[in-house]
C-alpha cells in the first residue's frame, strides 16, 4: 500500500490523523481513505487515454456462473469492435462472492463495501435492500466523478453489441438511455433509464450527482431512476448549467423499446423485466438473435429483415404471473 501513497495522500492522511485523534470516527476515515486509494488504482489501470472508464455493478446473484455477468461479458466478445472495450471495464462488486467471481473472469475488479448491508441475494425490485443498493451506486458514481474520471455506467443486464462512444453528444455533461424515447434528445419528457448513462467529470456533473443523491431524502421510498425522472425538471439543473441529453433507443434500446435495426444497435437492456430467470431467458435469446444476424451475408444484413424475438418471458403478461399489484408493474417498466 505504501508506495501508492502520493505526497498529496500522505498530507491528507496527516490531516485526518491530526484532526480526528480524539474522535471515534477516525477508523472510519481511514477505511474510506484506503478505499479511495484502492479505487484510484483500479480506475487508473482501466481508464482510456481521456480518463473514461466503463463501470458496472455486480452482486452475488448476477455474478454466479451462467448468470447475468457471463452474458454481459459474452456480449462484449461477440459484439462489433466491443472486445477491446473490456480493457476499460471496471466491475464494482457489491459483495465478496461477486468480487471473487470477478477476479476469476475479468481484469479490473473493485470491491465496494457497505457496512451492515447484505447485497448478495437477488435484490427484488423495490425491496429496501434493492433501494439501498441503487442509492449506494449513485453515491459511488459521484465519488468517481470527484476523482476526475468520466464514466459510462452500464447495468450488467445490458448487452453491448457496438461501441457507444461515437453516438454520444460531445457537448453534453450527462446523457442517459431511455425506456421510451420520444424523438428529441433534448426533451426532458423522455423517460430516462438509470441503467445506462455517460457522465463527464466536471463541476456540473459533480453538483448534479450530489443533488440526485440528496434527493433520496426528498423522495423517500423511490429508487434513483424514479427520482431522476422527477428532478430532471428541477430548475436546479438549469441553475448549475448541466447539459442533459437523452439517448435514442434506435441505438440504446431495451425490452421496453427495442432498437429496431440490428445494423444500428449499440446496446440492448433487459429492462421491463421482472425476475432473474425471465431476464436470463430473454438475454440468451437476444444473444442468439445477434449471432444469427452476424452470420448473415452482408447483403441480407442490409435488407433489415431480422429483428429480435424478445421480449418473451420478460413481457408484462409474465409479470402478472408474479402476482404483482398494478403499481409495481408500472414501476417495473423502468428497470
Ligand atoms: C447474505 O445473503 C445471502 C443470500 O440471501 C446469504 O446466503 C448470506 O448468508 C448472507 N450473508 C450474510 C453475511 O448475512
Ligand atoms: C471546478 O471549478 C473550480 C473553480 O471554478 C475549478 O478550479 C475546478 O478546476 C473545477 N473542477 C472541475 C472538476 O472541473
Ligand atoms: C419462460 O416462459 C415459458 C412459457 O411461459 C415457461 O414455460 C418457461 O418456464 C419460462 N422460462 C423461464 C426461465 O422463466
Amino acid at each position: 500500500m505504501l508506495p501508492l501513497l502520493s505526497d498529496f495522500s500522505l498530507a491528507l492522511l496527516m490531516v485526518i490523523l491530526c484532526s480526528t485523534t480524539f474522535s471515534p470516527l477516525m477508523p472510519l476515515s481511514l477505511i474510506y481513505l484506503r478505499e479511495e486509494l484502492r479505487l484510484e488504482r483500479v480506475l487508473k489501470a482501466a481508464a482510456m487515454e481521456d480518463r473514461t472508464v466503463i463501470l458496472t455493478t455486480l452482486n452475488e446473484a448476477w455474478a454466479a456462473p451462467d448468470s447475468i455477468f457471463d452474458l454481459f461479458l459474452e456480449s462484449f466478445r461477440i459484439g462489433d469492435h466491443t472486445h477491446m472495450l473490456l480493457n476499460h471495464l471496471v466491475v464494482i462488486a457489491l459483495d465478496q462472492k461477486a468480487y471473487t467471481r470477478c477476479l476469476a473472469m475479468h481484469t479490473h475488479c473493485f470491491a465496494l463495501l457497505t457496512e451492515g448491508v447484505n447485497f448478495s441475494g437477488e435484490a427484488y425490485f423495490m425491496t429496501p435492500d434493492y433501494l439501498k443498493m441503487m442509492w449506494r451506486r449513485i453515491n459511488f458514481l459521484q465519488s468517481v466523478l470527484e476523482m476526475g474520471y468520466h464514466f459510462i455506467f452500464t447495468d450488467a443486464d445490458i448487452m453491448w453489441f457496438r461501441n457507444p462512444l461515437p453516438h454520444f453528444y460531445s457537448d453534453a455533461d450527462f446523457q442517459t438511455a431511455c425506456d421510451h424515447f420520444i424523438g428529441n434528445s433534448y426533451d426532458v419528457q423522455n423517460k430516462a433509464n438509470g441503467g445506462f448513462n455517460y457522465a463527464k467529470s466536471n463541476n456540473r456533473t459533480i453538483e448534479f450527482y450530489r443533488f440526485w443523491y440528496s434527493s433520496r431524502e426528498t423522495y423517500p421510498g423511490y429508487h434513483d431512476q424514479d427520482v431522476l425522472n422527477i428532478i430532471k425538471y428541477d430548475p436546479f439543473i438549469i441553475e448549475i448549467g448541466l447539459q442533459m441529453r437523452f439517448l435514442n433507443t434506435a441505438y440504446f434500446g431495451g425490452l421496453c423499446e427495442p432498437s429496431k435495426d440490428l445494423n444500428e444497435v449499440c446496446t440492448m437492456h433487459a429492462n421491463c423485466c421482472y425476475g432473474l430467470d425471465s431476464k436470463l431467458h430473454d438475454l440468451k435469446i437476444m444473444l442468439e438473435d445477434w449471432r444469427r444476424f452476424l452470420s448473415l451475408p452482408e447483403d441480407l444484413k442490409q435488407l433489415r429483415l431480422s429483428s429480435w424475438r424478445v421480449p418473451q418471458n420478460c413481457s408484462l403478461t409474465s409479470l402478472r404471473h408474479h402476482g404483482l399489484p398494478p403499481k409495481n408493474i408500472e414501476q417495473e417498466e423502468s428497470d
Side-chain angles (χ1 to χ4, degrees):
M1 215 53 193
L2 265 182
L4 290 165
L5 288 172
S6 63
D7 292 348
F8 172 75
S9 311
L10 276 173
L12 191 60
L13 186 63
M14 293 306 288
V15 170
I16 289 169
L17 286 172
C18 297
S19 64
T20 58
T21 306
F22 300 107
S23 155
L25 285 176
M26 187 185 75
L28 207 57
S29 318
L30 282 174
I31 287 168
Y32 284 131
L33 179 64
R34 255 182 50 197
E35 179 165 285
E36 185 159 333
L37 292 173
R38 211 159 38 83
L39 178 60
E40 172 70 42
R41 191 175 41 182
V42 177
L43 293 176
K44 200 171 165 191
M48 301 175 196
E49 255 172 51
D50 71 347
R51 292 176 74 86
T52 301
V53 287
I54 302 169
L55 302 172
T56 193
T57 47
L58 202 60
N59 68 358
E60 178 182 345
W62 282 28
D66 208 24
S67 188
I68 303 278
F69 185 44
D70 286 354
L71 302 179
F72 180 64
L73 294 178
E74 189 183 347
S75 77
F76 281 88
R77 293 192 197 106
I78 65 175
D80 181 1
H81 293 90
T82 47
H83 196 285
M84 54 101 185
L85 293 175
L86 285 173
N87 296 332
H88 307 294
L89 170 71
V90 177
V91 174
I92 313 300
L94 299 173
D95 56 63
Q96 181 60 48
K97 285 221 172 102
Y99 185 59
T100 308
R101 186 86 210 294
C102 178
L103 289 175
M105 302 293 294
H106 186 64
T107 322
H108 310 294
C109 306
F110 178 75
L112 183 66
L113 308 169
T114 305
E115 248 181 299
V117 182
N118 182 359
F119 289 150
S120 302
E122 180 181 358
Y124 270 101
F125 197 72
M126 296 309 283
T127 61
D129 273 357
Y130 178 89
L131 286 181
K132 273 185 210 142
M133 191 158 96
M134 294 295 109
W135 282 113
R136 177 74 176 105
R137 181 177 93 175
I138 300 300
N139 181 230
F140 170 79
L141 292 174
Q142 178 193 318
S143 65
V144 172
L145 292 173
E146 283 167 352
M147 292 166 75
Y149 288 91
H150 320 294
F151 64 76
I152 305 169
F153 177 81
T154 172
D155 278 346
D157 62 344
I158 294 180
M159 302 295 105
W160 284 52
F161 296 122
R162 285 193 181 83
N163 186 350
L165 283 162
H167 292 285
F168 290 144
Y169 300 100
S170 58
D171 56 346
D173 297 310
F174 174 81
Q175 29 204 320
T176 176
C178 300
D179 282 343
H180 177 53
F181 182 71
I182 57 179
N184 177 347
S185 69
Y186 288 96
D187 196 335
V188 287
Q189 310 253 20
N190 283 300
K191 199 160 173 268
N193 185 300
F196 185 93
N197 46 58
Y198 173 48
K200 287 209 205 109
S201 165
N202 59 39
N203 283 331
R204 296 179 297 279
T205 51
I206 291 168
E207 274 302 303
F208 171 65
Y209 267 81
R210 196 170 289 153
F211 176 58
W212 189 359
Y213 186 61
S214 70
S215 296
R216 80 193 182 287
E217 285 160 359
T218 320
Y219 306 99
Y222 285 91
H223 78 20
D224 62 301
Q225 176 171 296
D226 293 326
V227 171
L228 172 62
N229 277 310
I230 298 169
I231 65 170
K232 67 188 180 184
Y233 298 105
D234 200 291
F236 182 76
I237 307 280
I238 292 168
E239 217 170 275
I240 60 173
L242 182 93
Q243 295 298 314
M244 188 186 290
R245 299 287 282 274
F246 298 86
L247 297 164
N248 195 333
T249 48
Y251 306 110
F252 304 95
L255 297 178
C256 304
E257 196 168 286
S259 303
K260 287 195 187 70
D261 189 347
L262 277 77
N263 292 286
E264 304 284 358
V265 63
C266 288
T267 58
M268 276 285 282
H269 190 178
N271 51 8
C272 288
C273 190
Y274 185 83
L276 184 53
D277 288 342
S278 304
K279 235 181 235 275
L280 288 169
H281 178 270
D282 280 17
L283 282 173
K284 281 176 189 164
I285 291 171
M286 206 188 276
L287 289 176
E288 267 174 37
D289 288 346
W290 173 254
R291 273 208 198 79
R292 199 186 288 186
F293 168 78
L294 284 183
S295 69
L296 292 175
E298 221 36 57
D299 49 340
L300 281 185
K301 277 186 188 145
Q302 294 310 319
L303 286 179
R304 294 166 161 74
L305 294 174
S306 43
S307 125
W308 307 101
R309 287 173 294 157
V310 285
Q312 289 183 9
N313 290 36
C314 287
S315 66
L316 284 178
T317 334
S318 80
L319 265 184
R320 296 205 177 87
H321 293 158
H322 282 93
L324 287 180
K327 180 155 182 290
N328 272 358
I329 290 174
E330 176 55 35
Q331 284 170 335
E332 179 61 24
E333 275 185 50
S334 26
D335 185 44

